[in-house]
Amino acid sequence: MSNLLHFSEHTLQEIALTFMALVYVTRITWFLRRFKAGTERQAPSGSPQTTKAKGVLYSWANVAMPWAMESTRSRPFMYVQFVVFHLGVTAAIALSFVIPYGAELLDSQLVVLLFQVIIGAACAVGVVRMIRRVSNPYIRAISSPDDYFSVALLTVWFFFAVLAAPNSTAMGEWHLLTYFLLTAFFLVYVPFSKISHYLYYPFTRYYFGKSMGYRGVYPLRGG
Amino acid sequence: MSDAKSRSHKAQKVIDRMGQKLSRQIAGSMIACVHCGMCIDSCHYVLANPGDPTYAPPYKADKIRKLFKKHFDWTGRVAPWWVKAGSVYTDEDLQELKDVVFGMCTNCRRCSLNCPMGVDFATFNRMARGLLVSVGVMPEGVAVVSKDQWETGNQMGVLKEDYLETIEWMEEEMRDELEDPDAKIPIDNPDCEVIYSINPREVKYDPRTIADAAKVFHAAGESWTMPSEGWDMTNFGLFSGDDDLGASVAKRLYEKVIELRGKRLVISECGHGLRSTQCEAPNWAKFDVPFEMESSVFTMLRYIKEGRIKVDKSRNPKPVTYHDSCNLARSCGVTEEPRELLHLVCEDFREMYPNRAENYCCTGGGGAMSMSEYTPRRLKSGVVKANQLKDTGAEVVVTSCHNCVDGLTDVIRHYELNMEVTQLVNLVANALVIEEKVAVPVERVPEVAVADLPLAGRRLVVADDEPDQVEFLAAVLEDNGATVFRAGTGDEALELVRREKPDLLTLDLSMPGRDVGEVFEMLRTELAFEDLKVCVITGRPELRRLIYDRSVRRPEGYLDKPVSEESLILNVRKILELAHEHETVG
Ligand code: SF4
Ligand code: SF4
């Protein structure tokens, strides 16, 4: 292993991770301090089966209940894409830890294959998403350069993660090096891009669910 | 702000005030959108305008979000083009924003419920409305209605005497109908179980609902009253985003209930009224409400369940469907109780699809009915609702919201659906089984003789420049026994009034030729027309000033278009009958 690859797998990742963590902490602090949560003075309304707590849980669980929202219920293919894409992100991040700190795991061809299938599928979804973003007039109209770049970045990163999964230098180091450089860039870039949505997701769904539960809307009734 | 110098005073105020309005929930909604597009076709505007991305909820949201990104978020400050951050600089920019937040969204919250990220666009759209209203940028109708609610305490500018006279009139109607001299609509009785608050629309267009509710309370033997003041449970603050207005309006009502020592405030069927009064206004007003509040739907259902009233569903045999008001279903969780009630009072209930929290807006939400400049856009978006209605095969659509009654009536007329709109209270009152107190047999007249028609012997002039409208109004009035003369301009109206000496003139405010305000003033000042009653019927409420700013006696009636047959007849009767009573008493 070259010094450059070693540096990329270890020191660079550690710097990038620390940076990301610092920015995340700063952002969450800013979010919680700068913006005050509204208080609810009114008595709870709606059905007694709906409460604040139930509303929050329902709201958080929504992501795993594609039948609960018309938007996901009516687009099963989009929902599958969503699941695959996010599994791919998780796997590609996990891989960036496995290679430097638990490479022996990748001695198993099955594990390598599992990483490659999940991340490869996510890469394919990335391509589909990019095509959709460019070709669908609605999505194009709402897209910013950050939206295009984020999808492209992740798709390319997935691609190199697939190549890096066997952790083999038989064909050279360039694919591993590119994967780790992209991972570091990804970690540094994420807090400033829309990819950081997962940081706010628990909050938005928490407040929405809380209010909806308190007012008798969540969990949705009847139907 | 670094670019403050190049910004107009109003635009600067909007940016400054936005900083104060951003709650954590709103800020989260600003940041968390990933532009996934999942919410796009949950919006009725999108469905009605295929191929036009400017109606897409995230597209509209980004018009507001860009301000957040530019002025409050990080990346947008450093590299605005990268995340499409931007600002408002001129008053024209504010006008453009007004067109989006008022004219392209009814704040129905359907997209919010369909966003996997929990982005609540409707809530921050309301915030944006409030920011624009705070600098005086709003549709004229919004300004007019807000002014009315600030000044008169109700959003239709109903005067106290009109309100009390209407209640008195309805009380008499109820007494006659029930043949029960004890039937009353109590006003300002202290220590009652129920204080009943209503929508000013009921006074103006639909007094029948007041009488029907009174019948239900009377039959249930309820200890109830209506307040003489602070009776309006609607709240234009919800639509305009003006929290101060919202707080002030609701406090009038809360304080009146406290003054009367009422145990429970019952809110007549109104989606935004319930949401504002019960859920939002305690927060706006920072007021801890010491009494219970509920929709009259819950009250009526309880009466039936407790056996306090008896109903016979065979009295409502027509096939009915139910339209869920956005505010009730998506902001108050009221979806099952109206259905339970419908099953008890109707023979043939048919579900509409999608329904409950997934129902589509009636198109009249978010105050849209008061913004006449967006009417064509609104009606176009109504195709979604029209198809939903048609597919039910029902003859009657029931809704628990006055705003929806207007929105649906408009859609039904525009798409020529043969349906009527009604509310639960009307159906419950119709299904009421009341034990007769007086055992005198009443002979029923099988056919209505012309002389028995409510407007028999009355002479009316209908003035409107839309031939369809003239024909509609005239036909309804003639069917009820009136002799009607038709005018298409102000001059024609003047000439017909001079020649035919009618009892009442219905007056559109935007007719070609002579200024309608001038026509009105001339009629008011000519001695010969001292007794002439005038009922304004307009689709442009912002033109009311043409008439109301004049120092002559105000019109006796005022109706917003679209007008239903029932409200037209009720209002014309009310004007003529009250005038007759006054003359008799005098
Ligand atoms: S509002 Fe929600 S559903 Fe709509 S584009 Fe944004 S994240 Fe997607
Ligand atoms: S709140 Fe309703 S009208 Fe407004 S964008 Fe969302 S779905 Fe459309």
Side-chain angles (χ1 to χ4, degrees):
Chain A
M1 181 192 291
S2 69
N3 283 344
L4 182 60
L5 181 58
H6 187 270
F7 171 79
S8 309
E9 282 186 12
H10 291 87
T11 318
L12 185 63
Q13 297 309 310
E14 284 150 20
I15 294 170
L17 270 171
T18 312
F19 178 79
M20 185 185 80
L22 278 175
V23 181
Y24 273 174
V25 169
T26 318
R27 270 190 86 91
I28 290 295
T29 312
W30 163 77
F31 180 67
L32 295 178
R33 285 214 173 152
R34 168 66 182 80
F35 306 108
K36 298 273 166 284
T39 46
E40 305 247 37
R41 278 173 184 266
Q42 81 280 17
S45 52
S47 153
Q49 279 107 52
T50 61
T51 62
K52 221 188 306 199
K54 281 187 189 170
V56 172
L57 288 176
Y58 182 84
S59 180
W60 276 335
N62 237 335
V63 68
M65 301 191 302
W67 60 88
M69 267 191 300
E70 182 196 75
S71 58
T72 43
R73 191 171 60 234
S74 59
R75 294 185 193 83
F77 184 55
M78 286 288 287
Y79 185 75
V80 171
Q81 281 185 42
F82 155 79
V83 174
V84 170
F85 197 76
H86 286 82
L87 281 178
V89 174
T90 316
I93 290 173
L95 189 66
S96 73
F97 287 93
V98 170
I99 291 176
Y101 305 113
E104 57 285 357
L105 252 183
L106 300 173
D107 292 343
S108 159
Q109 281 306 303
L110 196 69
V111 174
V112 171
L113 191 68
L114 196 66
F115 268 115
Q116 287 185 316
V117 167
I118 296 173
I119 302 172
C123 184
V125 169
V127 173
V128 172
R129 286 188 164 196
M130 187 51 117
I131 294 172
R132 176 170 177 257
R133 202 162 276 286
V134 174
S135 62
N136 182 317
Y138 291 95
I139 309 294
R140 201 166 56 232
I142 58 174
S143 296
S144 65
D146 176 40
D147 292 317
Y148 292 111
F149 183 73
S150 298
V151 182
L153 174 67
L154 283 165
T155 309
V156 174
W157 180 55
F158 287 147
F159 177 74
F160 281 97
V162 171
L163 299 183
N167 193 22
S168 162
T169 50
M171 307 273 287
E173 289 183 344
W174 58 273
H175 54 294
L176 281 164
L177 202 56
T178 314
Y179 168 61
F180 279 104
L181 288 175
L182 279 174
T183 308
F185 179 74
F186 170 73
L187 294 174
V188 171
Y189 177 67
V190 163
F192 303 101
S193 80
K194 75 158 195 177
I195 307 171
S196 63
H197 63 273
Y198 63 85
L199 200 62
Y200 302 100
Y201 167 82
F203 293 100
T204 49
R205 289 234 65 109
Y206 170 82
Y207 287 111
F208 193 61
K210 188 175 139 200
S211 165
M212 292 281 120
Y214 200 60
R215 293 175 186 197
V217 182
Y218 272 180
L220 291 179
R221 306 166 68 200
Chain B
M1 307 291 156
S2 57
D3 53 352
K5 276 200 195 101
S6 54
R7 195 169 280 122
S8 75
H9 177 71
K10 285 183 180 179
Q12 186 59 46
K13 281 263 173 284
V14 165
I15 302 300
D16 294 344
R17 287 174 186 166
M18 186 174 183
Q20 296 150 22
K21 285 267 185 183
L22 288 167
S23 68
R24 201 175 292 159
Q25 187 172 356
I26 291 181
S29 289
M30 295 283 186
I31 307 171
C33 177
V34 287
H35 290 151
C36 67
M38 293 293 275
C39 61
I40 290 178
D41 50 20
S42 34
C43 178
H44 58 288
Y45 283 103
V46 173
L47 299 179
N49 295 277
D52 185 348
T54 61
Y55 286 104
Y59 186 90
K60 295 180 275 195
D62 279 356
K63 300 279 174 197
I64 307 163
R65 186 175 283 118
K66 70 174 187 180
L67 304 177
F68 176 83
K69 290 192 169 173
K70 170 82 183 159
H71 297 281
F72 304 96
D73 203 0
W74 300 7
T75 321
R77 289 200 219 192
V78 179
W81 58 276
W82 189 245
V83 290
K84 283 197 178 168
S87 193
V88 278
Y89 295 95
T90 62
D91 291 354
E92 287 72 43
D93 290 344
L94 297 182
Q95 289 294 334
E96 270 177 38
L97 188 59
K98 177 198 88 174
D99 206 40
V100 175
V101 301
F102 285 101
M104 297 173 90
C105 172
T106 55
N107 277 1
C108 77
R109 232 178 184 180
R110 200 169 189 276
C111 56
S112 309
L113 253 74
N114 274 298
C115 169
M117 294 298 299
V119 171
D120 189 2
F121 169 51
T123 296
F124 72 77
N125 193 57
R126 178 179 178 273
M127 177 203 72
R129 286 181 173 199
L131 291 172
L132 292 177
V133 165
S134 77
V135 294
V137 177
M138 65 194 114
E140 208 168 341
V142 171
V144 170
V145 181
S146 300
K147 185 167 170 275
D148 277 346
Q149 202 157 26
W150 272 119
E151 288 175 0
T152 63
N154 67 81
Q155 57 170 286
M156 287 188 177
V158 174
L159 300 174
K160 187 176 175 184
E161 358 9 316
D162 285 343
Y163 167 74
L164 293 174
E165 273 177 352
T166 306
I167 289 179
E168 213 176 294
W169 183 48
M170 284 298 111
E171 186 178 67
E172 277 162 26
E173 294 254 323
M174 175 173 68
R175 259 185 222 150
D176 292 349
E177 196 186 331
L178 298 177
E179 294 170 5
D180 181 353
D182 295 336
K184 281 198 174 62
I185 302 185
I187 297 287
D188 281 348
N189 277 8
D191 300 309
C192 287
E193 284 298 320
V194 165
I195 307 267
Y196 186 56
S197 59
I198 59 166
N199 183 319
R201 183 186 170 279
E202 296 178 66
V203 182
K204 282 213 154 182
Y205 307 119
D206 211 358
R208 203 57 249 167
T209 56
I210 304 174
D212 283 347
K215 257 169 82 177
V216 175
F217 287 129
H218 176 70
E222 186 60 275
S223 131
W224 74 292
T225 191
M226 291 180 76
S228 61
E229 272 167 306
W231 48 269
D232 180 5
M233 53 68 183
T234 68
N235 201 316
F236 211 71
L238 182 74
F239 298 151
S240 67
D242 183 347
D243 292 354
D244 292 338
L245 172 62
S248 145
V249 168
K251 266 180 107 173
R252 284 181 213 176
L253 180 52
Y254 298 155
E255 279 162 5
K256 190 69 190 176
V257 178
I258 292 168
E259 182 196 314
L260 293 173
R261 299 185 297 276
K263 309 257 181 334
R264 174 180 288 154
L265 174 65
V266 172
I267 296 161
S268 80
E269 291 177 76
C270 179
H272 95 273
L274 185 74
R275 179 177 170 192
S276 307
T277 310
Q278 190 175 17
C279 302
E280 310 286 358
N283 301 326
W284 297 331
K286 300 189 177 44
F287 191 88
D288 294 315
V289 179
F291 48 82
E292 286 177 37
M293 293 185 260
E294 70 180 11
S295 156
S296 60
V297 172
F298 289 67
T299 320
M300 294 187 287
L301 186 59
R302 201 173 44 247
Y303 289 163
I304 298 178
K305 284 182 172 173
E306 290 173 357
R308 290 173 70 177
I309 56 173
K310 288 199 180 65
V311 284
D312 172 6
K313 60 159 77 175
S314 69
R315 293 187 185 174
N316 291 315
K318 285 186 184 173
V320 302
T321 188
Y322 180 70
H323 162 83
D324 291 274
S325 126
C326 302
N327 280 314
L328 290 182
R330 281 190 280 275
S331 291
C332 299
V334 180
T335 53
E336 304 316 300
E337 295 77 8
R339 286 176 169 77
E340 223 180 308
L341 195 47
L342 276 170
H343 282 296
L344 292 168
V345 299
C346 293
E347 276 195 326
D348 181 359
F349 169 63
R350 300 163 181 203
E351 200 57 88
M352 185 189 300
Y353 293 97
N355 54 52
R356 297 178 167 86
E358 292 187 352
N359 191 29
Y360 286 102
C361 178
C362 68
T363 74
M369 299 306 288
S370 64
M371 306 172 206
S372 55
E373 59 269 59
Y374 304 127
T375 300
R377 202 185 275 175
R378 176 172 64 75
L379 286 172
K380 189 174 179 200
S381 77
V383 68
V384 180
K385 190 82 246 169
N387 289 337
Q388 260 192 301
L389 290 171
K390 213 170 3 178
D391 290 346
T392 64
E395 287 175 34
V396 181
V397 52
V398 182
T399 185
S400 216
C401 172
H402 280 283
N403 215 25
C404 296
V405 170
D406 286 338
L408 292 169
T409 305
D410 222 8
V411 167
I412 287 169
R413 186 166 310 147
H414 186 76
Y415 290 94
E416 297 177 355
L417 310 176
N418 192 18
M419 292 178 95
E420 47 181 290
V421 189
T422 192
Q423 293 199 280
L424 275 157
V425 68
N426 307 121
L427 295 177
V428 174
N430 197 43
L432 266 184
V433 179
I434 295 175
E435 282 155 31
E436 288 185 26
K437 279 193 170 181
V438 191
V440 181
V442 182
E443 279 215 3
R444 297 262 169 232
V445 183
E447 276 178 27
V448 183
V450 174
D452 290 341
L453 290 170
L455 300 179
R458 299 292 192 177
R459 294 164 67 81
L460 278 79
V461 170
V462 169
D464 200 304
D465 64 333
E466 291 173 43
D468 285 356
Q469 184 69 13
V470 175
E471 278 320 308
F472 167 72
L473 297 174
V476 173
L477 296 167
E478 283 169 350
D479 285 352
N480 283 275
T483 306
V484 179
F485 306 95
R486 295 153 170 83
T489 64
D491 289 308
E492 279 174 30
L494 202 57
E495 193 190 317
L496 276 173
V497 170
R498 283 181 176 145
R499 197 176 70 215
E500 303 297 342
K501 314 238 171 340
D503 301 298
L504 183 141
L505 161 73
T506 75
L507 190 61
D508 178 29
L509 294 186
S510 54
M511 289 189 288
R514 195 195 290 262
D515 178 71
V516 175
E518 205 182 310
V519 172
F520 176 71
E521 190 162 346
M522 287 169 78
L523 290 172
R524 277 295 191 236
T525 43
E526 278 186 44
L527 211 56
F529 307 124
E530 212 183 21
D531 294 333
L532 176 73
K533 306 288 173 273
V534 178
C535 180
V536 169
I537 300 182
T538 181
R540 300 187 57 194
E542 67 274 17
L543 296 182
R544 283 193 304 182
R545 63 173 195 286
L546 292 178
I547 300 254
Y548 287 83
D549 285 356
R550 290 175 191 265
S551 52
V552 289
R553 201 173 82 240
R554 289 177 148 213
E556 282 72 17
Y558 174 87
L559 289 169
D560 275 315
K561 287 179 187 169
V563 189
S564 70
E565 289 181 28
E566 205 190 358
S567 68
L568 176 67
I569 295 305
L570 277 166
N571 276 277
V572 169
R573 274 184 61 202
K574 180 180 146 191
I575 295 169
L576 295 172
E577 286 172 22
L578 284 177
H580 176 71
E581 268 174 32
H582 289 162
E583 280 155 23
T584 318
V585 172

